Amino acid sequence: MEGRGIGKTVAALAAGISLAWAGAAAASAFTEGGADLWSARAERFVHAFRDAPPGLSTQEALGQACEGIGGEMFKYGMYKTQVPNHASQGFRRLCEGIDALNGRARGRVKICKEFRAARKLFARIDAEEAPARVVELNERFLLKMIDALVAQGERDGWPGC
């Protein structure tokens, strides 16, 4: 009788692990809604970096591009707007670096450390699995923008550079 209970427990555990693996596999892909949401956020950075509004520095414009990222992170995980964790966390780390650059960080944040961490996360976006617009924004702009920010930080002596 005990053996039967253990067998059921093992079977239930195995089923749970299978579901967890399936969920993890699904969590690594962009849904159509997720690609739209992610791309819209990336485009905010494109416009801030290339075309800072009159009266704002590029640095301030990037800070504005980060506004609302905390609330948006919740949307990234929702079923219909799913974004892979590394792709969403890349924005979080990028914005932490930008906030530190703009003097809005809590504690002592090393700016370039955040930028490098963001770059590493964005570099994990797989060109064969992600939608074309995500890949294009990531490869043609975000990665290059982060490289430029780190290079400027190294030249100007920002913390952590």
Side-chain angles (χ1 to χ4, degrees):
M1 202 139 209
E2 254 183 33
R4 250 180 158 184
I6 292 173
K8 286 182 181 179
T9 302
V10 170
L13 182 60
I17 290 171
S18 294
L19 287 174
W21 283 336
S28 67
F30 281 90
T31 61
E32 189 63 31
D36 291 343
L37 187 64
W38 190 93
S39 296
R41 176 60 69 171
E43 287 169 357
R44 289 175 69 174
F45 287 102
V46 171
H47 295 298
F49 196 74
R50 288 187 180 162
D51 311 310
L56 287 181
S57 68
T58 300
Q59 183 175 321
E60 292 166 329
L62 287 171
Q64 285 185 352
C66 285
E67 289 178 4
I69 193 73
E72 194 170 275
M73 297 292 283
F74 289 109
K75 293 180 189 177
Y76 285 150
M78 294 171 67
Y79 177 71
K80 292 185 179 183
T81 57
Q82 190 169 345
V83 173
N85 192 46
H86 56 275
S88 65
Q89 291 301 318
F91 282 133
R92 183 182 62 80
R93 296 299 293 264
L94 176 61
C95 288
E96 285 178 7
I98 291 169
D99 284 348
L101 184 59
N102 287 328
R104 293 192 309 245
R106 296 181 192 151
R108 216 174 116 85
V109 176
K110 296 184 177 182
I111 297 168
C112 286
K113 178 182 176 190
E114 296 300 327
F115 289 153
R116 288 182 183 113
R119 191 190 196 296
K120 200 176 213 180
L121 290 162
F122 287 136
R124 290 181 52 201
I125 294 174
D126 188 343
E128 293 182 19
E129 293 179 9
R133 68 184 175 278
V134 168
V135 172
E136 183 175 350
L137 282 165
N138 188 49
E139 291 179 357
R140 292 189 66 204
F141 182 74
L142 281 176
L143 295 173
K144 291 177 182 178
M145 178 190 77
I146 293 169
D147 290 342
L149 288 168
V150 169
Q152 181 180 350
E154 289 171 346
R155 273 192 317 273
D156 295 347
W158 296 344
C161 294

